[in-house]
Every structure is written in structure tokens, then in C-alpha cells.
Amino acid sequence: RVYPAILIGAFIVNVTTAGSIITSLAIAVGNTLEALVGGYLVNRFANGKLAFHRVGDIFKFTIFATGLSTMVSATIGVTTLVFAGLASWSEFGEVWFTWWLGDAGGNSVIAPFVLTWALGENIAWTPRRISEFIGSFSLLIISGVLVFTGGLPYPYLTIPSLVWIAFRLSQREAATGVFLLTV
């Protein structure tokens, strides 16, 4: 039901970067179709809004929303770039893969974050849980800043904090940790 916002937002972003109105509209249509196809597939095959409640549904979500639906946008987008003269057919595969990977990465980070918060249960914030939350997220932020600002060349140093969050806190907080680290 939010597809008009996707269409308008994608159009505005594209028209203000380097695209003509027709190119921007075609790319926006591809982005919108990606969301519609992904939403349909997740609702039909991966338990819809509850896609993160069962392991099998998480796997299906990953295949449909992160893998397949993103192919729609990548294919329409890159084809549009080629016909607009902004890319060549010889670059198609590389540009397509980069486009698909960007959308797939975004879907695998943003969707779990949004869905787990939108449908999450109430969290009992006990003093122990608060201290564990503060400790784990502080370590995540510190390790993320050290790694991604050039202080330490070891990106895997952020993994222990994410594992701690995943095992000791909730799925919602784990999705938040991944989102925060990505940002």
C-alpha cells in the first residue's frame, strides 16, 4: 500500500541526480515493481508480516525479498541506463550485479529492522536487561567506529557484539544492531 511513495521518492531521487524525466520514471517504476513483487512473494510464501517468526520463513524471505524481487529493479534499472546511453551493453552484467547487490543488501538490513520493530512484542526492561543492552550496544558502536573510521582494519571485530546481542537480547535488538552497524 506504500507503493506510490516508493514511486514518487525514487523518481525524485533519480531526477535530481543525473537522469532525464523518462529515465527517472523508468527506474522509479522498476523500484516500485521490486517492492510490489517482493511484498507479494513474502505475503504469499513467507508468512507476510510475520516472516521473522519462523526460521523457514526467514529463509523464504531472504530468497524472495532479498534475492528475487531485487532482480526486477536491477534489470529494469540497468536496461534503462543502457537505452539512455548512461551505460553500455558490455557493462550490463557488472552494473546489474552491483545494482542487485545494493538492493539485496538494503533489503536484508532495512526490512528486518522495520518489521521486527513494527510487530515486536513489549520488552521487559529490567535493570539487568538495560545494562546488557547498554554494554552490548556500546561495544558495537565502539568497535564499529574503530573499524569503519580506519582505526582498525579488522571488520570482523564487530561480530562478537552482534553475536552477543543476537543470543542475549531479542530479534528486534539484533536487527537494530545490524542496522546501526550498517549505518
Side-chain angles (χ1 to χ4, degrees):
R1 68 177 187 236
V2 299
Y3 74 89
I6 296 168
L7 181 69
I8 292 166
F11 174 76
I12 290 170
V13 165
N14 284 292
V15 83
T16 59
T17 54
S20 68
I21 289 178
I22 293 172
T23 303
S24 299
L25 185 59
I27 292 171
V29 166
N31 293 139
T32 305
L33 287 175
E34 173 188 333
L36 290 171
V37 167
Y40 171 78
L41 292 173
V42 168
N43 283 329
R44 175 81 169 91
F45 299 108
N47 208 17
K49 293 178 183 177
L50 303 176
F52 297 105
H53 284 200
R54 296 188 309 224
V55 172
D57 292 332
I58 293 170
F59 182 71
K60 291 174 191 173
F61 172 88
T62 302
I63 288 177
F64 294 129
T66 300
L68 294 177
S69 71
T70 52
M71 292 179 181
V72 173
S73 177
T75 302
I76 292 171
V78 177
T79 302
T80 300
L81 293 178
V82 168
F83 282 122
L86 299 170
S88 68
W89 285 111
S90 64
E91 300 171 310
F92 190 93
E94 186 178 341
V95 175
W96 184 93
F97 182 71
T98 302
W99 192 305
W100 173 80
L101 193 59
D103 283 4
N107 284 356
S108 65
V109 170
I110 302 296
F113 174 72
V114 170
L115 287 176
T116 56
W117 276 98
L119 301 171
E121 306 83 32
N122 290 330
I123 297 174
W125 290 101
T126 62
R128 180 179 177 169
R129 185 176 188 92
I130 291 169
S131 64
E132 198 157 10
F133 177 87
I134 291 170
S136 60
F137 273 83
S138 295
L139 283 176
L140 181 66
I141 291 168
I142 291 167
S143 63
V145 167
L146 287 173
V147 167
F148 296 112
T149 60
L152 295 173
Y154 308 109
Y156 58 83
L157 290 176
T158 59
I159 293 173
S161 300
L162 288 174
V163 170
W164 180 7
I165 293 167
F167 281 106
R168 296 290 301 159
L169 302 172
S170 71
Q171 186 181 45
R172 182 183 341 175
E173 290 154 323
T176 302
V178 170
F179 176 78
L180 182 64
L181 188 60
T182 303
V183 169

